[in-house]
Amino acid sequence: MTIQDTSGSMMMMMMMDNGGMSCLPCTPIEEKQIVHDLNNQSELDLKEGNLFYLISTRWYKSWERYVGGGGDQLDSHHINNGVSGNTVERPGPIDNSDLVENGFGGEGGDVELRKNLEEVQDYVLVPQQVWEKLFHWYKGGPALPRKMICEGIFSEKRVEVYPLSLKLIDSRDDSQLTLKLSKKASIRELYHKVCALKGIELEKAQIWDYFNKIKQSGSPLDVSDKTLEETVLQMDQNILLEVQVDDGCSPSQCGMDSTGNELALVPLEPSRSSLTIAGGPTLSNGHSTSYSAFSSSFVDMDDGYDSQNSAKKVESGGLAGLQNLGNTCFMNSAIQCLVHTPLLAEYFLQDYNDEINTDNPLGMHGELALAFGELLRKLWSAGRTAVAPRAFKGKLARFAPQFSGYNQHDSQELLAFLLDGMHEDLNRVKRKPYIEMKDSDGRPDEEVANECWKNHKARNDSLIVDTFQGQYKSTLVCPDCSKISITFDPFMYLTLPLPSTVTRTMTVTVFYADGSSLPMPFTVTVMKHGFCKDLLAALSTACCLKSDESLLLAEVYNHQIFKFFENPAEVLNSIKDDEHIVAYRFDRKEAGKKKLEIVNQWPAKSASDYLKGGERKLFGAPLVTYLEEDQLNGADIDAAVSRLLVPLRRTYSSAKAGRGKENGYLSDAIDEPSNSSNQSIESAELEDESSKELSFQLYLTDSRITSSKLLKKDSTIKPVSCIKVLLDWTDEVHESYDPSYLKDLPVVHKTGFTVKKTRQEAISLFSCLDAFLTEEPLGPEDMWYCPRCKEHRQATKKLDLWMLPDILVFHLKRFSYSRYMKNKLDTFVNFPIHDLDLSKYMTNKSGESYVYELYAISNHYGGLGGGHYTAYAKLIDENRWYHFDDSHVSSVSEAEIKTSAAYVLFYRRVKGESNVEMGEPSQDHSCERL
C-alpha cells in the first residue's frame, strides 16, 4: 500500500508494520500524520463493504488534543522538531464504554450499542486502517465494526451504524431471540441464519412478517435474494418462525396459528371500484375491520382497503393516528398535516391514475405518489384505528436514504422532499422543454412575472404546483456598478427567520458636532446582516434627526477615533458587540469639510511627556466637529473646542464651593494622575504669553499621537482632511467643565444582558415575514455574478411576494447550525388562526384578496437531540381541531393550538379564487368539500 508521505511518516509506518520498531512509541505529531494519511487513503477508495469502526467522541477528542488539533488538518504551530508543542497528556486506552448499553465491553459483534447515538453524535467513524493503528498504539475497546452500504435507488454510501434488529418468535415454544442483520442482507441470508441458530433444515422453515404479532400476509417470506431493505420489515419488529411437522404441514397449513387459534386469513381476489387507489385494484387479505373502533388497535399498511365501506368512512374519517416505527414522529407529524390538506385529500381519494408520471427521470417512477395516496386513503378510512406506515417508510428510505434508519429527522425537510417528489411523480409534463431565461432588462414587472411563470409551468405542471407553489420577486443590486437584476422565482413554502435570529441590538452614543447638547446613548434594533445605512436610519429615528442633519459613525478605541464608517454600504458584521461606536450629529451642509478630532487627556507630569511623545493619560470619548475656514490657526481650533465644551459647562462659578457635591465627578478626577494641587514648573514654563491667550491648553498631534506640539494663537495649521489635537484637562478646565459625560462609553452590546420583552414587542408571524422580506447582503459563499462587472459580487438581495398559492406553508426557522454549535429557539410566535390577510405584502396589486385560515401545524417539542414531533389538524367539516401524537388522537380547543412548539404552519385560502392570470390549474380547487 502506497501512502503519500510529507513528513517521513511512511517509513515509520512500514517499520512498525514489519514489527521491527513496534516497541518504539510515535511522537504526537507522527501519530497525527499517520492518521491523516490513512484517512486520505480511505477517502480515495470508498466502496460498499468497507469496514469502519466507532470510537467514542470523548476519547477521540482527547487524542486530538494530545496530537495538537482537531480533524485531519495539521497545525504547524504544534510541530517542533517532530514533537508536539503542547503539553496535553497522552490519553489512556480506547474507551468505548459510553457507546454501549450498560458500559458493556464484550466482543464487537455481540455488543449492544446505546440507542440514538447518531442524534447526539457521541461517536466518530474511522476507517479500518485507522482503527487498527490506534488500537496498536492504545489497546482498549470494545471494537465496534460497521460496514459501508449503498442505500436507495441512487446507491448513496453510508456506514450502517445500526443493523436491522428483528425479534424472532419460535411458534413451537414461543421462545424469543434477537437477530441483527444488515438491511442489505437477503431474505435467503435471514433464513440461513435462523436455521443455523435453531438447527433446522431450510426446507422445513417458514418465516412470517409478524408485525404487531399479526401475520401481515397470506404467505411467509419467500426464500429469495430480495434484500431486507426492500421489504417492509422494521427495526425491532417481530418475525415468526414456523417449522413443518413430520406430516409435511406447517401450523398454518394445519389451520392453526402460533397461539393455537383457528386462522381466519383467506386470500381474496382483488376487486375494482371507483375509489380504488389511483384507479388500480383494491387488495385484501380477509382481515376483519370490526376492531377499528378501539383506539389501541393497529392497521398495517399492507392490510387491505375496504372499498365497500370507503365512502362512509371518508365522511367520518381523518381521525386515525400513525404508529411510531421508531423515531418516526417527525414523519407522522408531516404526514398528518398533508393528509388533512383538503385539496390533497380530495385529489388522492379520487382516481388519479392518469396523472402518474412513471417516465420522469427526476421523479420516483410514480411510486412515492402511489405510496402516499395509499397511506392517505388508509388514514381517511380507518376511523380511529392507528395505521402503521411501514410500506410508505420503505419507499421513503429507498428514494431518500437520508430518512432511512431510525434516527430523528426534521419534519420540514421531509415535507420539502415529499412535496417535491410527489410533484415530479404527478408532473403532467412528460417531456420538459429547454427554456433559456431572459433578463428583465427594465421591462414591466407584470410582463417578466408572467413570462417566468409561463416558463415554469411549461416544465412543471402538477397538483402540487397548482396547490402549493407561489411566486416571489427577487431583486439583486450590484454594490459596485449598481446593476439591478430582477427575477421571479417559484416557491413551495416560505422559510421565515425569527427576528431574534436575524436582528441585533446596537447601542450607539450620539454626540452633537455643534456642541448644542449633551451626548446621549441610543439602543436600536437592526438586521444582523444589514449595512451601516440601516444603523444610521434606525439612529435617525431614535434621536429625531432633522431633515437637514446627518450622522457620522465612528469606532472609538483607546479614547480616540479608530475608524470612521463613511461608506453607508459597509456591512454591520464588521462591528463587534464589545466595540464602542459613536455617531456625530452635524448639519448636512458641513459634509465634506475638514474634520477636527479632539482627544481628551489628563495633564502630563513634565514637558518631556509631550515633546517626546511619552505615554499619555487619555480618557473619555473624543469630540469631533467640522471646520469652515480653509486657512486655520490656533485661535480657530481654540474656538471650536470652546464651542464643543459648552454642554459640559458646570452650573456654578467655583469648583471649590461645590467640591464633593457634584455627584462625585470632581472627586473622581482628583484620583487621576493630574497633579492638580501643584502644576509642574516645566509645564508652566511652556505657557508663554501667546499660549495664554488661548482658552485651553491644546497640542497638535498626528494620527497615532507619536508626537505633539503646543498650539499658540497664531500657530498655522496645515490643510489636512482630519486635524487631531490633544486637550489638556487642567485644573482650570476641570473647574469649569464636567468630563464625566465623556466617560464610560457603552459597548455596542453587553453580552448576557437581556431586556424583557414588553407585550407590544412580542414576536408575531408578521414580524417574521418582515424579517424575511428585508433587504440583506448575500453571504460570502453566495456571491452573485454581475453580468456588467463580469465578476462575482456580494450583492444585496430583496424578496417581495408576487403570487400566493391556495395552500400557503410557513416554516419557522427555529433551528440554527454552525460548525461548532447547534441551537433551537423556543420563542413563542403569535400567529393568526383566522383572517390572515397578506394583501399589504403583495407587490402585485391585482386586486385579489389574500386572506388565509390556519388548518394544520407541525409541532416540535424539546431540544435537538431528544425532541418529539406532533401535529394539530382541523377537520374542516366538523370545524374542530385534533391533536395527532403518533397513534394517539385527541380533540383540542382552538385556544390550545398556539404554543411555542409551532414549527410549520399550514394555511388555506378562504377568500377569492386562484390566481388565474398566471395560468389555470388543471384540477378543481374548491376548499369547501372536506
Side-chain angles (χ1 to χ4, degrees):
M1 178 176 65
T2 301
I3 300 178
Q4 199 173 25
D5 180 36
T6 59
S7 63
S9 61
M10 180 179 176
M11 180 63 69
M12 180 190 62
M13 291 170 57
M14 292 173 61
M15 290 188 292
M16 292 182 64
D17 289 340
N18 293 334
M21 295 181 63
S22 60
C23 59
L24 297 178
C26 297
T27 64
I29 195 59
E30 287 170 343
E31 287 188 15
K32 186 173 185 178
Q33 181 68 56
I34 292 171
V35 170
H36 172 79
D37 292 340
L38 290 174
N39 277 326
N40 285 346
Q41 180 70 21
S42 174
E43 286 288 330
L44 297 175
D45 190 33
L46 288 179
K47 62 179 182 294
E48 190 171 17
N50 283 3
L51 268 183
F52 285 78
Y53 284 74
L54 279 74
I55 297 181
S56 166
T57 298
R58 177 174 49 82
W59 185 91
Y60 194 77
K61 284 186 175 179
S62 69
W63 175 79
E64 285 183 332
R65 288 193 295 270
Y66 168 65
V67 299
D72 288 335
Q73 296 180 355
L74 297 178
D75 188 352
S76 60
H77 295 290
H78 291 111
I79 301 175
N80 183 14
N81 295 326
V83 297
S84 174
N86 60 34
T87 58
V88 179
E89 291 186 5
R90 190 174 192 269
I94 298 171
D95 182 8
N96 285 335
S97 60
D98 58 337
L99 302 184
V100 297
E101 290 290 351
N102 302 319
F104 174 74
E107 295 301 320
D110 300 322
V111 173
E112 182 74 18
L113 285 182
R114 277 177 38 224
K115 303 294 185 184
N116 303 329
L117 285 179
E118 291 178 308
E119 293 178 29
V120 294
Q121 295 182 332
D122 280 347
Y123 68 90
V124 294
L125 286 166
V126 299
Q128 181 179 5
Q129 304 95 314
V130 172
W131 164 261
E132 291 173 349
K133 195 61 63 178
L134 291 173
F135 184 77
H136 175 79
W137 294 329
Y138 294 93
K139 306 304 180 191
L144 303 171
R146 294 295 186 267
K147 284 186 177 181
M148 175 168 281
I149 62 175
C150 293
E151 287 188 307
I153 60 173
F154 304 110
S155 298
E156 296 183 16
K157 296 182 179 68
R158 187 181 71 87
V159 176
E160 188 177 31
V161 175
Y162 289 98
L164 184 62
S165 177
L166 299 171
K167 297 177 181 177
L168 176 69
I169 299 177
D170 193 331
S171 64
R172 296 171 297 179
D173 56 8
D174 284 337
S175 61
Q176 296 190 22
L177 179 67
T178 299
L179 305 176
K180 291 185 182 295
L181 299 92
S182 169
K183 64 173 64 176
K184 303 301 290 187
S186 66
I187 299 178
R188 189 183 309 279
E189 292 176 76
L190 172 63
Y191 267 93
H192 281 294
K193 185 164 187 173
V194 170
C195 291
L197 289 171
K198 292 294 185 178
I200 58 178
E201 298 177 10
L202 180 63
E203 293 75 15
K204 293 186 177 182
Q206 290 184 343
I207 299 178
W208 295 77
D209 179 356
Y210 205 46
F211 186 76
N212 284 336
K213 292 192 174 182
I214 299 173
K215 289 183 177 179
Q216 296 298 323
S217 63
S219 59
L221 299 174
D222 292 329
V223 182
S224 67
D225 293 326
K226 184 179 182 180
T227 65
L228 299 178
E229 179 186 30
E230 298 174 283
T231 68
V232 292
L233 297 177
Q234 302 296 308
M235 180 71 78
D236 296 326
Q237 79 154 74
N238 297 316
I239 55 175
L240 178 67
L241 170 65
E242 291 186 341
V243 182
Q244 291 180 349
V245 293
D246 292 338
D247 59 4
C249 73
S250 67
S252 295
Q253 291 170 329
C254 296
M256 306 290 286
D257 65 9
S258 62
T259 59
N261 297 323
E262 292 187 3
L263 292 172
L265 297 175
V266 181
L268 299 180
E269 183 70 22
S271 61
R272 295 182 65 87
S273 76
S274 61
L275 289 176
T276 55
I277 301 171
T282 304
L283 305 179
S284 174
N285 62 6
H287 279 335
S288 170
T289 57
S290 60
Y291 56 82
S292 64
F294 298 94
S295 61
S296 61
S297 58
F298 297 96
V299 171
D300 186 65
M301 269 292 301
D302 301 299
D303 292 345
Y305 178 80
D306 189 349
S307 61
Q308 301 300 321
N309 298 319
S310 60
K312 181 189 301 182
K313 291 184 177 178
V314 167
E315 293 177 358
S316 59
L319 295 179
L322 285 164
Q323 186 174 353
N324 194 318
L325 305 177
N327 273 337
T328 56
C329 58
F330 77 97
M331 181 180 75
N332 295 345
S333 173
I335 289 174
Q336 291 289 8
C337 291
L338 287 180
V339 300
H340 286 87
T341 298
L343 298 174
L344 283 187
E346 178 183 355
Y347 179 87
F348 282 102
L349 288 174
Q350 296 176 357
D351 184 351
Y352 58 95
N353 186 61
D354 291 341
E355 297 210 338
I356 294 293
N357 189 338
T358 59
D359 301 321
N360 188 353
L362 299 179
M364 289 75 181
H365 313 297
E367 295 183 40
L368 183 64
L370 286 169
F372 177 81
E374 185 178 358
L375 177 56
L376 181 144
R377 295 166 76 87
K378 280 288 181 184
L379 291 171
W380 278 97
S381 67
R384 289 181 178 267
T385 304
V387 173
R390 294 195 304 155
F392 181 81
K393 188 178 186 302
K395 294 290 185 185
L396 187 64
R398 183 181 173 210
F399 293 111
Q402 66 268 32
F403 299 115
S404 65
Y406 299 90
N407 298 320
Q408 186 68 278
H409 294 282
D410 190 316
S411 67
Q412 185 273 332
E413 291 179 1
L414 176 63
L415 280 165
F417 170 79
L418 290 178
L419 290 174
D420 188 62
M422 287 195 293
H423 155 64
E424 297 295 355
D425 274 1
L426 299 172
N427 199 344
R428 305 175 187 112
V429 179
K430 307 302 181 183
R431 205 167 197 184
K432 295 190 176 185
Y434 171 76
I435 300 175
E436 185 174 351
M437 303 304 293
K438 301 178 183 177
D439 200 354
S440 57
D441 287 332
R443 292 181 292 162
D445 283 350
E446 291 78 7
E447 178 184 338
V448 180
N450 279 280
E451 179 183 273
C452 290
W453 187 252
K454 180 180 178 181
N455 293 340
H456 176 66
K457 289 280 287 192
R459 295 171 54 85
N460 303 276
D461 184 15
S462 69
L463 165 80
I464 305 301
V465 173
D466 295 340
T467 306
F468 288 91
Q469 286 199 353
Q471 190 182 38
Y472 58 67
K473 174 185 176 183
S474 176
T475 304
L476 291 170
V477 180
C478 178
D480 287 49
C481 70
S482 300
K483 163 70 176 176
I484 299 176
S485 175
I486 297 176
T487 58
F488 289 83
D489 303 309
F491 66 85
M492 193 86 75
Y493 51 86
L494 297 177
T495 296
L496 305 185
L498 273 62
S500 56
T501 65
V502 297
T503 61
R504 62 186 293 199
T505 58
M506 301 183 71
T507 298
V508 179
T509 304
V510 176
F511 289 80
Y512 285 78
D514 59 358
S516 59
S517 295
L518 288 169
M520 179 72 67
F522 293 92
T523 300
V524 295
T525 300
V526 293
M527 302 301 295
K528 276 185 179 179
H529 301 292
F531 305 93
C532 285
K533 64 180 181 181
D534 301 319
L535 176 57
L536 289 170
L539 283 173
S540 299
T541 301
C543 71
C544 300
L545 196 72
K546 298 177 182 177
S547 60
D548 58 348
E549 291 182 314
S550 293
L551 293 173
L552 175 62
L553 289 173
E555 178 186 349
V556 175
Y557 178 74
N558 194 25
H559 308 292
Q560 52 190 307
I561 300 297
F562 177 76
K563 173 185 179 181
F564 286 109
F565 295 93
E566 298 184 282
N567 179 11
E570 184 165 351
V571 294
L572 291 178
N573 285 339
S574 62
I575 301 176
K576 309 305 179 187
D577 284 349
D578 58 352
E579 294 175 348
H580 299 85
I581 303 298
V582 297
Y584 297 99
R585 183 171 180 168
F586 60 94
D587 192 298
R588 196 181 294 272
K589 294 182 295 183
E590 296 181 348
K593 296 180 180 179
K594 296 182 182 66
K595 288 192 286 287
L596 171 64
E597 178 187 352
I598 304 162
V599 180
N600 304 284
Q601 68 173 5
W602 300 113
K605 295 180 180 179
S606 67
S608 60
D609 287 343
Y610 296 115
L611 303 178
K612 297 179 181 179
E615 182 180 354
R616 311 275 178 178
K617 302 299 187 293
L618 307 180
F619 76 93
L623 300 173
V624 173
T625 188
Y626 283 90
L627 300 171
E628 296 184 2
E629 295 81 2
D630 292 332
Q631 301 297 325
L632 296 170
N633 55 32
D636 297 323
I637 303 298
D638 186 74
V641 173
S642 180
R643 184 173 64 253
L644 286 180
L645 292 183
V646 168
L648 307 184
R649 185 179 293 278
R650 299 183 188 275
T651 57
Y652 47 86
S653 59
S654 173
K656 292 181 180 180
R659 193 178 300 274
K661 300 179 182 180
E662 45 192 273
N663 300 324
Y665 294 137
L666 186 56
S667 59
D668 286 346
I670 294 174
D671 293 335
E672 300 286 352
S674 61
N675 289 329
S676 60
S677 60
N678 295 301
Q679 187 71 13
S680 64
I681 298 175
E682 292 85 354
S683 178
E685 291 177 37
L686 289 172
E687 300 182 17
D688 57 12
E689 292 302 319
S690 297
S691 66
K692 286 181 179 179
E693 295 178 12
L694 296 180
S695 304
F696 305 95
Q697 192 164 304
L698 301 170
Y699 296 84
L700 185 65
T701 185
D702 55 28
S703 61
R704 297 185 179 182
I705 318 184
T706 56
S707 63
S708 59
K709 179 182 178 181
L710 181 66
L711 277 179
K712 301 177 182 180
K713 183 177 180 181
D714 56 355
S715 297
T716 302
I717 310 298
K718 293 182 179 180
V720 292
S721 60
C722 184
I723 301 169
K724 193 168 188 175
V725 299
L726 297 172
L727 167 62
D728 257 3
W729 279 76
T730 61
D731 282 350
E732 291 81 359
V733 175
H734 197 284
E735 287 180 1
S736 301
Y737 301 95
D738 186 352
S740 63
Y741 295 103
L742 305 179
K743 297 180 180 180
D744 302 323
L745 201 63
V747 296
V748 169
H749 179 76
K750 190 174 182 180
T751 305
F753 178 75
T754 56
V755 180
K756 185 176 180 181
K757 285 185 176 292
T758 63
R759 187 177 301 273
Q760 289 77 16
E761 294 173 322
I763 294 178
S764 69
L765 185 65
F766 297 106
S767 62
C768 296
L769 191 56
D770 288 334
F772 173 75
L773 298 175
T774 299
E775 181 184 41
E776 63 178 1
L778 297 176
E781 67 282 357
D782 297 321
M783 303 279 274
W784 172 64
Y785 182 79
C786 177
R788 183 180 295 169
C789 297
K790 308 298 182 184
E791 296 282 349
H792 284 89
R793 303 296 190 194
Q794 194 172 357
T796 60
K797 184 175 184 179
K798 175 73 171 70
L799 296 179
D800 294 289
L801 298 180
W802 185 263
M803 180 182 71
L804 295 182
D806 288 333
I807 299 297
L808 182 58
V809 180
F810 291 113
H811 164 223
L812 302 179
K813 196 173 181 181
R814 293 193 177 276
F815 300 105
S816 61
Y817 303 91
S818 68
R819 182 177 178 182
Y820 305 104
M821 184 180 65
K822 295 181 179 179
N823 186 40
K824 183 201 171 184
L825 293 172
D826 288 314
T827 308
F828 174 74
V829 177
N830 188 16
F831 49 89
I833 299 175
H834 305 283
D835 299 327
L836 170 63
D837 191 351
L838 300 177
S839 301
K840 69 175 183 177
Y841 292 99
M842 300 304 297
T843 306
N844 178 19
K845 304 300 182 182
S846 62
E848 184 176 3
S849 175
Y850 295 97
V851 180
Y852 288 82
E853 178 182 79
L854 186 73
Y855 71 89
I857 308 172
S858 176
N859 303 303
H860 180 271
Y861 299 90
L864 291 172
H868 179 60
Y869 287 92
T870 68
Y872 289 121
K874 182 179 182 179
L875 291 190
I876 307 300
D877 283 347
E878 296 183 10
N879 194 29
R880 179 179 294 180
W881 284 88
Y882 289 89
H883 185 217
F884 294 84
D885 185 356
D886 290 331
S887 58
H888 181 71
V889 181
S890 58
S891 176
V892 293
S893 68
E894 192 172 88
E896 295 177 78
I897 67 173
K898 282 190 176 185
T899 71
S900 60
Y903 182 43
V904 186
L905 306 173
F906 292 75
Y907 285 88
R908 68 186 187 102
R909 191 196 302 270
V910 293
K911 293 182 180 180
E913 299 297 328
S914 300
N915 194 342
V916 295
E917 293 182 8
M918 295 299 179
E920 288 286 350
S922 301
Q923 298 294 321
D924 178 16
H925 282 208
S926 171
C927 294
E928 308 302 328
R929 297 185 59 179
L930 290 176

